[in-house]
Amino acid sequence: MDSTWFFFIFLSIIGGIVFLSHYFSRKQVVKRKLKKAVGIPMSSFQTGDVAKVAGKVEYQGNQLIAPLSGRPCCFYQVKVERLESSGKSSSWRTIIKEEESMDFFIRDGRNRAYVERGELKAYLVQDWNTESGFRHDANSNMETILSRHGYSSENFLGMNHSIRYHEGVLEMGETIAAVGRGEWKRGTDVGLNTPERVLVISATDKESVYLSDDPETVEINYQG
């Protein structure tokens, strides 16, 4: 086999790996699920339906505080990358992935869907991004999340690592979409301090609840 064919095969393999890594990433899987799912208005939802709902985020009582930006929210996802060198090349390696959620609602007009934390597969738009490195020290929030996962913003010589920080959150009033199995229940039956009916969105036997705030996923062509 001559060097030209070997190089072509090598590039094809690398290209295939990159494509599959992208295609099966959480972001792409969640977006495909939501874009393909059938949408039903909450007012038309029947117990047992598996479909997509969309609306505004609501939550009650305590709230989460996003660890990097300090924003109040009901769900956050954080990714931290560090620039690492290998020989003559350098690349960004993900060193931290962290997410936290609480129970929240999706309001569609007069109806609300209740999304329990648990079997969620979510992609949140990373709309808060910053970095630390040369002549740019990490702040206290960055240091806290690094330390929590056993990392530091500095190397053993006291020089800053090159680090990128990304964060996405679900905030009050934000438009989102979710797909899962719906069941109408009284709020008191799911631990809420309200007698109103809510549409509880939960995982099926085979699939998690998929949700996202990506604008490409929240549009619904309603059926039914």
Side-chain angles (χ1 to χ4, degrees):
M1 181 182 297
D2 61 40
S3 59
T4 301
W5 275 106
F6 179 82
F7 183 68
F8 176 76
I9 293 173
F10 175 76
L11 286 181
S12 298
I13 292 173
I14 295 299
I17 292 173
V18 171
F19 171 78
L20 291 174
S21 177
H22 173 77
Y23 187 82
F24 290 107
S25 67
R26 173 183 287 202
K27 173 181 177 179
Q28 296 304 322
V29 168
V30 171
K31 289 179 68 172
R32 284 197 301 274
K33 289 286 185 180
L34 286 166
K35 291 168 75 172
K36 292 180 180 179
V38 173
I40 300 178
M42 289 186 198
S43 58
S44 302
F45 226 100
Q46 300 294 316
T47 289
D49 285 342
V50 178
K52 175 179 173 180
V53 295
K56 303 291 186 180
V57 172
E58 290 185 358
Y59 50 87
Q60 300 174 339
N62 295 330
Q63 58 192 4
L64 300 174
I65 300 298
L68 291 173
S69 66
R71 292 177 289 179
C73 60
C74 62
F75 197 155
Y76 69 77
Q77 291 180 334
V78 168
K79 182 173 76 171
V80 180
E81 302 170 295
R82 187 171 67 186
L83 186 63
E84 299 190 349
S85 299
S86 177
K88 296 182 179 179
S89 63
S90 298
S91 61
W92 292 97
R93 183 174 75 88
T94 299
I95 58 173
I96 296 172
K97 282 188 176 182
E98 181 177 299
E99 70 174 42
E100 183 66 35
S101 65
M102 54 181 264
D103 300 344
F104 61 93
F105 297 95
I106 303 173
R107 179 174 288 280
D108 176 13
R110 298 175 60 184
N111 297 289
R112 294 195 297 176
Y114 179 59
V115 183
E116 298 178 300
R117 62 180 178 177
E119 295 187 52
L120 299 178
K121 189 168 289 186
Y123 162 64
L124 306 184
V125 174
Q126 295 174 339
D127 57 355
W128 191 95
N129 303 278
T130 191
E131 60 185 33
S132 63
F134 180 65
R135 300 181 66 180
H136 188 184
D137 294 341
N139 64 27
S140 59
N141 287 349
M142 300 172 196
E143 292 286 11
T144 296
I145 195 168
L146 288 169
S147 177
R148 182 158 67 236
H149 292 269
Y151 294 98
S152 171
S153 65
E154 300 178 344
N155 62 23
F156 68 96
L157 295 175
M159 300 177 64
N160 288 339
H161 290 293
S162 294
I163 301 177
R164 300 192 300 202
Y165 309 82
H166 314 278
E167 181 185 86
V169 301
L170 288 186
E171 300 178 277
M172 183 75 81
E174 187 173 358
T175 300
I176 68 167
V179 59
R181 180 184 182 277
E183 182 177 1
W184 287 104
K185 294 184 178 182
R186 293 290 176 186
T188 51
D189 294 336
V190 291
L192 302 175
N193 188 27
T194 175
E196 72 170 297
R197 287 200 323 159
V198 294
L199 181 64
V200 178
I201 302 295
S202 58
T204 67
D205 292 338
K206 297 180 179 180
E207 296 277 10
S208 303
V209 174
Y210 293 87
L211 67 89
S212 180
D213 60 347
D214 190 306
E216 294 182 14
T217 69
V218 299
E219 295 296 328
I220 294 184
N221 295 317
Y222 284 123
Q223 299 183 24

